[in-house]
Amino acid sequence: MYECVQEGRISGLEHDMKNMNGWQKSQNGSIHRVEAKIDKLVFWQMTTAIGFVLTVVGAVVLVYIK
């Protein structure tokens, strides 16, 4: 019966591929969580910037009214 001389190497590579696929799924989940946090930060930055602009515009209007 013929035995593959590379059988052990192929088995090791298949095992490494399974580990890499698991690692990649884990990394994708981490990336999605980081993206969600960045989206929240951007939202709060924009909200703060809009509030600041409205405050400045309101102050300018009050100065010109008086």
Side-chain angles (χ1 to χ4, degrees):
M1 184 147 215
Y2 177 75
E3 271 189 45
C4 180
V5 294
Q6 299 294 330
E7 186 176 341
R9 186 172 184 208
I10 292 170
S11 175
L13 290 172
E14 288 173 346
H15 179 71
D16 290 345
M17 283 297 295
K18 287 179 185 177
N19 286 341
M20 187 174 293
N21 286 337
W23 176 81
Q24 191 174 28
K25 287 178 185 178
S26 171
Q27 292 300 310
N28 287 341
S30 297
I31 289 170
H32 288 297
R33 286 190 299 275
V34 168
E35 286 176 344
K37 289 179 181 181
I38 290 172
D39 289 342
K40 287 179 185 178
L41 285 173
V42 169
F43 171 77
W44 285 110
Q45 282 181 329
M46 293 300 293
T47 303
T48 303
I50 290 169
F52 176 74
V53 168
L54 291 176
T55 302
V56 169
V57 168
V60 169
V61 168
L62 286 175
V63 167
Y64 280 112
I65 289 176
K66 289 185 178 186

